[in-house]
Amino acid sequence: MLTIHAAPLVLPVGAAAVAEGAVAVDGDRIAAIGPYEDVVAAHPAARVRRWPGLLTPGLRQDRARELLTRCYHPDPREADELGELPLWGQAFERITATMDTARRAGSVRRGLQRMLRHGTTHVVGPFGVDEPGLRTALSRSGLVQVPGRPGDGPPDLDPFAGGGDLAATAHGPLTVGGRADLAVFDVADEAALRAGGARLCVATVLAGRLVHRAR
């Protein structure tokens, strides 16, 4: 079923911003990008999802390998003891000293889910053949593995933590005929997005599927 995702501002990256814009998605592909009224007129039978704020391409997480292999993502039931943020460094080493396979697998699944909640659709590897559990979890998540240079500094679920702008942090531009990997943030513009970070994500669309919705 064709779906139109509409937002007060669409930033395709590599093309002009569209105020009161929309992206039409057919299956896993983008069918149209443009002003809302034009897209709806061209696809009158489409389902419409209206979002607040800013619609962009999905983001690329450069620290994915570290986040999944060198961080522990606490279970919500552990929040009182461990908090909600990824644990790394000495805290990670203390936990892994007694961590069994099931607990490690749970951390990886939660890490992938939390990446999706931050608008991430693409992750930089590598994820080796000697890590079958990790590769299976990544495949099931639907996140796309891409080549790239891992980022610097402490691992962070927010792809903007490295200081890049949207063009440098998005997986690539939104184009008609391209894969429908989108993110929506409840902010007014790119400056507010960079200031507030990807935690303000309200929706993530991966290959046309709505995989995260905050409201």
Side-chain angles (χ1 to χ4, degrees):
M1 180 179 182
L2 197 144
T3 300
I4 293 173
H5 296 274
L9 185 63
V10 174
L11 293 183
V13 173
V18 185
E20 298 301 329
V23 176
V25 174
D26 190 2
D28 66 350
R29 298 287 146 179
I30 295 175
I33 304 171
Y36 172 77
E37 297 296 339
D38 294 351
V39 174
V40 169
H43 304 281
R47 173 178 56 186
V48 176
R49 294 189 184 274
R50 287 187 172 273
W51 303 106
L54 184 66
L55 189 154
T56 75
L59 305 181
R60 185 190 68 251
Q61 176 52 263
D62 293 339
R63 308 302 299 276
R65 180 169 178 76
E66 289 168 278
L67 282 164
L68 296 175
T69 65
R70 303 299 303 167
C71 291
Y72 179 71
H73 299 271
D75 187 291
R77 293 168 294 185
E78 301 174 308
D80 288 345
E81 177 187 358
L82 300 177
E84 299 178 352
L85 298 177
L87 301 177
W88 62 287
Q90 292 183 350
F92 173 76
E93 298 298 339
R94 285 195 297 271
I95 291 172
T96 55
T98 58
M99 186 185 300
D100 60 18
T101 301
R103 192 179 184 192
R104 184 180 295 274
S107 172
V108 168
R109 287 194 301 271
R110 291 188 294 273
L112 292 166
Q113 292 163 358
R114 289 164 187 173
M115 288 183 197
L116 292 171
R117 292 181 205 162
H118 284 73
T120 295
T121 58
H122 290 60
V123 293
V124 172
F127 301 96
V129 294
D130 59 336
E131 302 169 303
L134 178 56
R135 289 170 63 88
T136 297
L138 182 61
S139 176
R140 288 175 176 170
S141 76
L143 288 160
V144 180
Q145 182 181 340
V146 293
R149 177 183 176 276
D152 300 319
D156 196 304
L157 285 166
D158 184 354
F160 288 106
D165 61 9
L166 179 60
T169 308
H171 75 80
L174 299 180
T175 58
V176 174
R179 222 178 86 130
D181 296 320
L182 322 172
V184 184
F185 303 92
D186 192 5
V187 295
D189 53 29
E190 182 180 348
L193 173 58
R194 293 180 64 188
R199 65 181 180 80
L200 299 171
C201 180
V202 295
T204 305
V205 175
L206 192 59
R209 297 180 298 112
L210 182 64
V211 294
H212 162 62
R213 179 175 184 170
R215 60 178 64 191

